Amino acid sequence: MKLDFVRGHMGGNLILLLKGWQLPRDNELNTVLKVMDPIYVHAHETGILYYPEEGADIKARIVEPSSKCYITACGGFTQVLGAALIETELGKLFNINNNLKSSEVIVQTDCGPTSLILESNSGETRRVKTDMNSFVQECYDRGVRELVIDNLPVMQAGKFLILNADLFKKNYPFADFIHWDQKTREAVTAIQHQFVRITGEVEYNVTLYDWNPERGGDLRVLYPHGVEEDYFEPSCGTGTIALGIALLGSGELAAKRDSNSDLMVLKLESGGGYELGGPDLTELEMIIQNNKVSRALFSHSNVKITSVGEIWL
């Protein structure tokens, strides 16, 4: 079996793109999970692309290897897909007009329609902006609330557990979010397990943050989704959106908002490997109305296509 692929990353979040019509219909998920193994083409998520249904330019499903299932949304996938539509043959395959300096592409995902705004110059990607409105609604539908787990205040934003690193260290003074020693891993994992038990969520999704920026941003972030399996994402689009929703819900944004504007912009430092923060910036734009996020878009400063090729199974 021959599979064409495009591989890229968003700030170290490795994304694989495959053509759905090349995969076996009766064994699609297992085939993709096999391809994502490090002995083939390692990736944090895979986007399976299909020809569109009415109302969209592309249809896609997303696979995540740690949970071994399809997931509803992935911001890194949308950013890498946007770059691939500009810089590879995928743009022509899906009839995307790359002659414009700015164009919009609608991707139908399991979460709903997702709009990508592609900005390019002479065939090179300048920026991809992802409108995550469908995922915003999913977060509110699944629940946004404060929880206290083992005396630690945390936030739920949809399927995400949101952890404030400074509060965590007050509860667990030994916590080391640079070297991630065994005690730190065990403490975070215990909170994760309790979060899943309380909320009924089945996937492990975590955003860790603090308000101690080092490179001109507003916050530092890291996404230690599965520390038991050593599964860390240095950047995460859905985790970014969930964080913004959680910060609004917890009241942390109250002192930072302009009361005369519905727009709130946050810059998140990430991309530092296993460490909180890093050299990359994710820009999150939120429209806030009636104390809820009504619209959220994000873009990332470091999106690259790294390889194009074939996989033989």
Side-chain angles (χ1 to χ4, degrees), residues 207-274:
T207 299
L208 178 71
Y209 74 97
D210 69 18
W211 292 93
N212 306 309
E214 299 175 319
R215 295 175 173 88
D218 299 299
L219 306 96
R220 299 187 302 174
V221 291
L222 177 66
Y223 307 91
H225 299 314
V227 293
E228 280 186 305
E229 296 83 23
D230 204 39
Y231 184 70
F232 291 70
E233 286 187 0
S235 62
C236 176
T238 51
T240 296
I241 303 300
L243 175 60
I245 292 171
L247 293 175
L248 179 65
S250 70
E252 289 180 71
L253 292 185
K256 302 176 185 298
R257 286 182 59 193
D258 180 352
S259 59
N260 296 316
S261 175
D262 293 337
L263 176 65
M264 180 81 196
V265 179
L266 292 173
K267 293 183 178 180
L268 284 57
E269 299 176 358
S270 65
Y274 286 76

Coordinates of all heavy atoms in Angstrom, one line a residue, residues 207-274:
T207 N -3.6 21.9 29.7 CA -2.9 23.1 29.4 C -2.3 23.6 30.8 O -3.0 23.7 31.7 CB -3.8 24.2 28.9 OG1 -4.4 23.8 27.6 CG2 -3.0 25.5 28.7
L208 N -1.0 23.7 30.8 CA -0.3 24.2 32.0 C 0.2 25.6 31.6 O 0.8 25.8 30.6 CB 0.9 23.3 32.3 CG 1.8 23.7 33.5 CD1 1.1 23.5 34.8 CD2 3.1 22.9 33.4
Y209 N 0.0 26.6 32.5 CA 0.4 28.0 32.2 C 0.8 28.7 33.4 O 0.5 28.3 34.6 CB -0.8 28.7 31.6 CG -1.9 29.0 32.6 CD1 -2.0 30.3 33.1 CD2 -2.9 28.1 33.0 CE1 -3.0 30.6 34.1 CE2 -3.8 28.4 33.9 CZ -3.9 29.7 34.5 OH -4.8 30.0 35.4
D210 N 1.5 29.8 33.2 CA 1.7 30.8 34.3 C 1.8 32.2 33.6 O 1.8 32.4 32.4 CB 2.9 30.5 35.1 CG 4.3 30.7 34.4 OD1 4.3 31.4 33.3 OD2 5.3 30.1 34.9
W211 N 1.8 33.2 34.5 CA 1.8 34.6 34.0 C 3.2 35.2 34.2 O 3.3 36.4 34.6 CB 0.8 35.4 34.8 CG -0.7 35.1 34.5 CD1 -1.4 34.2 35.2 CD2 -1.5 35.6 33.5 NE1 -2.7 34.2 34.7 CE2 -2.8 35.0 33.6 CE3 -1.3 36.5 32.5 CZ2 -3.8 35.3 32.8 CZ3 -2.3 36.8 31.6 CH2 -3.6 36.2 31.8
N212 N 4.2 34.4 33.9 CA 5.6 34.8 34.0 C 6.3 34.8 32.7 O 7.3 34.0 32.5 CB 6.3 33.9 35.0 CG 5.6 33.9 36.4 OD1 5.2 34.9 36.9 ND2 5.3 32.7 36.8
P213 N 5.9 35.6 31.7 CA 6.5 35.6 30.4 C 8.0 36.0 30.4 O 8.4 36.8 31.2 CB 5.7 36.5 29.6 CG 5.1 37.5 30.6 CD 4.9 36.7 31.8
E214 N 8.7 35.5 29.4 CA 10.2 35.8 29.3 C 10.5 36.4 28.0 O 11.7 36.9 27.8 CB 11.0 34.5 29.5 CG 10.8 33.9 30.9 CD 11.5 32.6 31.0 OE1 11.5 31.8 30.0 OE2 12.1 32.3 32.1
R215 N 9.6 36.4 27.0 CA 10.0 36.8 25.7 C 8.9 37.7 25.0 O 8.6 37.7 23.9 CB 10.2 35.6 24.8 CG 11.4 34.7 25.2 CD 11.4 33.5 24.3 NE 12.6 32.7 24.6 CZ 12.8 31.7 25.5 NH1 11.7 31.5 26.3 NH2 13.9 31.1 25.6
G216 N 8.3 38.6 25.9 CA 7.4 39.6 25.4 C 6.0 39.2 25.2 O 5.1 39.9 24.7
G217 N 5.6 38.0 25.6 CA 4.3 37.5 25.6 C 3.5 37.9 26.9 O 4.0 38.7 27.7
D218 N 2.3 37.3 27.0 CA 1.5 37.5 28.2 C 1.6 36.3 29.2 O 1.5 36.5 30.4 CB 0.0 37.7 27.8 CG -0.1 39.0 26.9 OD1 0.2 40.1 27.4 OD2 -0.6 38.8 25.8
L219 N 1.7 35.1 28.6 CA 1.8 33.9 29.5 C 2.8 33.0 28.9 O 3.2 33.1 27.7 CB 0.4 33.2 29.5 CG -0.9 33.9 29.9 CD1 -1.6 34.4 28.6 CD2 -1.8 33.0 30.7
R220 N 3.2 32.0 29.7 CA 3.9 30.8 29.2 C 3.0 29.6 29.3 O 2.2 29.5 30.2 CB 5.2 30.6 30.1 CG 6.2 31.7 30.2 CD 7.4 31.3 30.9 NE 7.2 30.9 32.3 CZ 8.1 30.4 33.1 NH1 9.3 30.2 32.7 NH2 7.7 30.0 34.3
V221 N 3.1 28.7 28.3 CA 2.3 27.6 28.3 C 3.1 26.3 27.9 O 4.1 26.4 27.3 CB 1.1 27.7 27.3 CG1 0.1 28.8 27.7 CG2 1.7 28.1 25.9
L222 N 2.5 25.2 28.3 CA 3.0 23.8 27.9 C 1.8 22.9 27.9 O 0.8 23.2 28.7 CB 4.1 23.4 28.9 CG 4.6 22.0 28.6 CD1 5.4 21.9 27.3 CD2 5.5 21.5 29.8
Y223 N 1.8 21.8 27.2 CA 0.7 20.9 27.1 C 1.1 19.5 27.4 O 1.3 18.7 26.5 CB 0.1 21.0 25.7 CG -0.3 22.5 25.3 CD1 0.7 23.3 24.6 CD2 -1.5 23.1 25.7 CE1 0.4 24.6 24.4 CE2 -1.7 24.4 25.4 CZ -0.8 25.2 24.8 OH -1.1 26.5 24.5
P224 N 1.2 19.2 28.7 CA 1.6 17.8 29.1 C 0.4 16.9 29.2 O 0.0 16.4 30.2 CB 2.2 18.1 30.5 CG 1.4 19.2 31.0 CD 1.0 20.1 29.8
H225 N 0.0 16.5 28.0 CA -1.3 15.7 27.9 C -1.2 14.4 28.6 O -2.1 13.9 29.2 CB -1.7 15.5 26.4 CG -1.9 16.8 25.7 ND1 -2.7 17.8 26.2 CD2 -1.6 17.2 24.5 CE1 -2.8 18.8 25.3 NE2 -2.1 18.5 24.3
G226 N 0.0 13.7 28.4 CA 0.1 12.4 28.9 C 1.5 12.1 29.5 O 2.3 11.5 28.9
V227 N 1.7 12.6 30.7 CA 3.1 12.6 31.3 C 3.4 11.1 31.6 O 4.6 10.8 31.6 CB 3.2 13.4 32.5 CG1 3.1 14.9 32.2 CG2 2.2 13.1 33.6
E228 N 2.5 10.2 31.8 CA 2.8 8.8 32.1 C 3.4 8.2 30.9 O 4.3 7.4 31.0 CB 1.5 8.1 32.4 CG 1.0 8.2 33.8 CD -0.1 7.3 34.2 OE1 -1.1 7.3 33.4 OE2 0.0 6.5 35.1
E229 N 3.0 8.6 29.7 CA 3.5 8.1 28.4 C 4.6 9.0 27.8 O 5.0 8.8 26.7 CB 2.4 7.9 27.4 CG 1.4 6.8 27.7 CD 0.3 7.4 28.7 OE1 0.1 8.7 28.7 OE2 -0.3 6.6 29.4
D230 N 5.0 10.0 28.6 CA 6.0 11.0 28.1 C 5.5 11.7 26.9 O 6.2 12.1 26.0 CB 7.3 10.3 27.8 CG 8.5 11.3 27.9 OD1 8.5 12.1 28.8 OD2 9.4 11.2 27.1
Y231 N 4.2 12.0 26.9 CA 3.5 12.6 25.8 C 3.3 14.1 26.1 O 2.3 14.5 26.8 CB 2.2 11.9 25.5 CG 1.5 12.5 24.2 CD1 2.0 12.2 23.0 CD2 0.3 13.2 24.3 CE1 1.4 12.7 21.8 CE2 -0.3 13.7 23.2 CZ 0.2 13.4 21.9 OH -0.4 13.9 20.8
F232 N 4.2 15.0 25.6 CA 4.1 16.4 25.8 C 4.0 17.1 24.4 O 4.7 16.7 23.5 CB 5.4 16.9 26.5 CG 5.6 16.5 27.9 CD1 5.9 15.2 28.2 CD2 5.5 17.5 28.9 CE1 6.1 14.9 29.5 CE2 5.7 17.1 30.2 CZ 6.0 15.8 30.5
E233 N 3.1 18.1 24.3 CA 3.1 18.9 23.1 C 3.6 20.3 23.5 O 3.0 20.9 24.4 CB 1.7 19.0 22.6 CG 1.2 17.7 21.9 CD -0.1 17.8 21.2 OE1 -0.7 19.0 21.2 OE2 -0.6 16.9 20.6
P234 N 4.6 20.8 22.8 CA 5.1 22.1 23.0 C 4.1 23.2 22.6 O 4.3 24.4 23.1 CB 6.4 22.2 22.3 CG 6.3 21.2 21.2 CD 5.4 20.1 21.7
S235 N 3.2 22.9 21.7 CA 2.2 23.8 21.3 C 0.9 23.1 21.0 O 1.0 21.9 20.7 CB 2.6 24.7 20.1 OG 2.8 23.8 19.0
C236 N -0.2 23.7 21.1 CA -1.5 23.1 21.0 C -2.6 24.1 20.7 O -2.9 24.9 21.6 CB -1.8 22.2 22.2 SG -3.5 21.4 22.2
G237 N -3.2 24.1 19.6 CA -4.2 25.1 19.2 C -5.5 24.9 20.1 O -6.0 25.9 20.6
T238 N -6.0 23.7 20.2 CA -7.2 23.5 21.0 C -6.9 23.9 22.5 O -7.8 24.5 23.2 CB -7.8 22.1 20.9 OG1 -6.7 21.2 21.2 CG2 -8.4 21.9 19.6
G239 N -5.7 23.5 23.0 CA -5.3 23.9 24.3 C -5.3 25.4 24.5 O -5.5 25.9 25.6
T240 N -4.9 26.1 23.5 CA -4.8 27.6 23.5 C -6.2 28.2 23.7 O -6.5 29.0 24.5 CB -4.2 28.1 22.2 OG1 -2.8 27.7 22.2 CG2 -4.3 29.6 22.2
I241 N -7.2 27.7 22.9 CA -8.6 28.1 22.9 C -9.2 27.8 24.3 O -9.8 28.7 24.9 CB -9.4 27.5 21.8 CG1 -8.8 27.8 20.4 CG2 -10.8 28.0 21.9 CD1 -8.7 29.3 20.1
A242 N -8.9 26.6 24.8 CA -9.5 26.2 26.1 C -8.9 27.1 27.2 O -9.7 27.4 28.1 CB -9.1 24.7 26.3
L243 N -7.6 27.4 27.1 CA -7.0 28.3 28.1 C -7.7 29.6 28.1 O -8.1 30.2 29.2 CB -5.6 28.5 27.8 CG -4.8 29.4 28.8 CD1 -4.9 29.0 30.2 CD2 -3.3 29.6 28.3
G244 N -7.9 30.2 26.9 CA -8.6 31.5 26.9 C -10.0 31.5 27.5 O -10.4 32.4 28.3
I245 N -10.8 30.4 27.2 CA -12.1 30.3 27.8 C -12.0 30.1 29.3 O -12.8 30.7 30.1 CB -12.8 29.1 27.2 CG1 -13.1 29.4 25.7 CG2 -14.1 28.7 27.9 CD1 -13.6 28.1 24.9
A246 N -11.0 29.3 29.8 CA -10.9 29.1 31.2 C -10.5 30.4 32.0 O -11.0 30.7 33.1 CB -9.8 28.0 31.5
L247 N -9.6 31.2 31.4 CA -9.1 32.4 32.0 C -10.3 33.4 32.2 O -10.3 34.1 33.2 CB -8.0 33.0 31.2 CG -6.6 32.2 31.2 CD1 -5.6 32.9 30.3 CD2 -6.1 32.1 32.6
L248 N -11.1 33.4 31.2 CA -12.3 34.3 31.3 C -13.2 33.7 32.4 O -13.7 34.5 33.2 CB -13.1 34.3 30.0 CG -14.3 35.2 29.9 CD1 -14.0 36.7 30.2 CD2 -15.1 35.0 28.6
G249 N -13.4 32.4 32.4 CA -14.3 31.9 33.4 C -13.8 32.0 34.8 O -14.6 32.1 35.7
S250 N -12.5 31.9 35.0 CA -11.9 32.0 36.4 C -11.9 33.5 36.9 O -11.6 33.7 38.0 CB -10.5 31.4 36.4 OG -9.6 32.2 35.6
G251 N -12.1 34.4 36.0 CA -12.0 35.8 36.4 C -10.6 36.4 36.2 O -10.4 37.6 36.5
E252 N -9.6 35.6 35.7 CA -8.2 36.1 35.7 C -8.0 37.2 34.6 O -7.1 37.9 34.6 CB -7.3 34.9 35.4 CG -7.1 34.0 36.5 CD -6.2 32.8 36.2 OE1 -4.9 33.1 36.1 OE2 -6.6 31.7 36.1
L253 N -9.0 37.3 33.6 CA -8.8 38.3 32.6 C -9.5 39.6 33.0 O -9.3 40.6 32.3 CB -9.5 37.8 31.3 CG -8.8 36.6 30.6 CD1 -9.5 36.3 29.3 CD2 -7.3 36.9 30.4
A254 N -10.2 39.6 34.1 CA -11.0 40.8 34.4 C -10.1 42.1 34.5 O -10.5 43.1 33.9 CB -11.7 40.6 35.7
A255 N -9.0 42.0 35.1 CA -8.1 43.2 35.3 C -7.3 43.5 34.0 O -6.8 44.6 33.9 CB -7.2 43.0 36.4
K256 N -7.3 42.6 33.1 CA -6.5 42.8 31.9 C -7.3 43.2 30.7 O -6.8 43.6 29.6 CB -5.7 41.5 31.5 CG -4.9 41.0 32.7 CD -4.2 39.7 32.4 CE -3.4 39.2 33.6 NZ -2.4 40.1 34.0
R257 N -8.6 43.2 30.8 CA -9.5 43.6 29.6 C -9.7 45.1 29.5 O -9.8 45.8 30.5 CB -10.8 42.9 29.8 CG -10.9 41.4 29.5 CD -12.3 40.8 29.6 NE -13.2 41.5 28.7 CZ -14.5 41.4 28.7 NH1 -15.1 40.6 29.7 NH2 -15.3 42.0 27.9
D258 N -9.9 45.5 28.3 CA -10.3 46.9 28.1 C -11.8 46.9 28.1 O -12.5 46.3 27.3 CB -9.8 47.3 26.7 CG -10.2 48.8 26.3 OD1 -11.0 49.4 27.1 OD2 -9.7 49.3 25.3
S259 N -12.4 47.6 29.1 CA -13.8 47.6 29.3 C -14.6 48.2 28.1 O -15.8 48.0 27.9 CB -14.2 48.3 30.5 OG -13.8 49.7 30.5
N260 N -13.9 48.9 27.2 CA -14.5 49.6 26.1 C -14.5 48.7 24.8 O -14.9 49.2 23.7 CB -13.9 50.9 25.8 CG -14.1 51.9 27.0 OD1 -15.2 52.0 27.5 ND2 -13.0 52.6 27.4
S261 N -13.9 47.5 24.9 CA -13.8 46.7 23.7 C -14.2 45.3 24.0 O -13.9 44.7 25.1 CB -12.3 46.7 23.2 OG -12.1 45.9 22.1
D262 N -14.8 44.6 23.0 CA -15.1 43.2 23.1 C -13.9 42.3 22.7 O -13.9 41.1 23.0 CB -16.3 42.8 22.2 CG -17.6 43.5 22.6 OD1 -17.7 43.8 23.8 OD2 -18.5 43.6 21.7
L263 N -12.9 42.9 22.2 CA -11.7 42.1 21.7 C -10.7 42.0 22.8 O -10.3 43.0 23.4 CB -11.1 42.8 20.5 CG -9.8 42.2 19.9 CD1 -10.1 40.8 19.4 CD2 -9.2 43.1 18.8
M264 N -10.2 40.8 23.0 CA -9.1 40.5 23.9 C -8.1 39.7 23.1 O -8.4 38.7 22.5 CB -9.6 39.6 25.1 CG -8.6 39.3 26.1 SD -8.3 40.7 27.2 CE -6.7 40.2 28.0
V265 N -6.8 40.2 23.2 CA -5.7 39.5 22.5 C -4.7 39.1 23.5 O -4.3 39.9 24.3 CB -5.1 40.4 21.4 CG1 -3.9 39.7 20.8 CG2 -6.1 40.9 20.4
L266 N -4.3 37.8 23.5 CA -3.3 37.2 24.3 C -2.2 36.6 23.5 O -2.5 36.0 22.5 CB -3.9 36.2 25.3 CG -4.9 36.6 26.3 CD1 -5.5 35.4 27.0 CD2 -4.2 37.5 27.3
K267 N -0.9 36.8 24.0 CA 0.2 36.2 23.3 C 0.8 35.2 24.2 O 1.2 35.5 25.4 CB 1.2 37.3 22.9 CG 0.7 38.2 21.8 CD 1.7 39.2 21.3 CE 1.2 40.1 20.2 NZ 2.1 41.0 19.7
L268 N 0.9 33.9 23.8 CA 1.3 32.8 24.6 C 2.7 32.3 24.1 O 2.9 32.0 22.9 CB 0.4 31.6 24.5 CG -1.0 31.7 25.2 CD1 -1.8 32.9 24.8 CD2 -1.8 30.4 25.0
E269 N 3.7 32.3 25.1 CA 5.0 31.8 24.8 C 5.0 30.3 24.9 O 4.6 29.7 25.9 CB 6.0 32.4 25.7 CG 6.1 33.9 25.7 CD 7.0 34.5 26.7 OE1 7.6 33.7 27.5 OE2 7.2 35.7 26.7
S270 N 5.5 29.6 23.9 CA 5.6 28.1 23.9 C 6.7 27.7 23.0 O 7.5 28.4 22.5 CB 4.2 27.6 23.3 OG 4.1 27.9 22.0
G271 N 6.8 26.3 22.8 CA 7.8 25.8 21.9 C 9.1 25.4 22.6 O 10.1 25.2 21.9
G272 N 9.1 25.3 23.9 CA 10.3 25.1 24.7 C 10.6 23.6 25.0 O 11.2 23.3 26.0
G273 N 10.0 22.7 24.2 CA 10.2 21.3 24.5 C 9.4 20.9 25.7 O 8.1 21.1 25.7
Y274 N 10.0 20.3 26.7 CA 9.3 19.9 27.9 C 9.2 21.1 28.9 O 8.5 20.9 29.9 CB 10.1 18.8 28.6 CG 10.1 17.5 27.9 CD1 10.8 17.2 26.8 CD2 9.3 16.4 28.4 CE1 10.7 16.0 26.1 CE2 9.2 15.2 27.8 CZ 9.9 15.0 26.7 OH 9.8 13.7 26.1

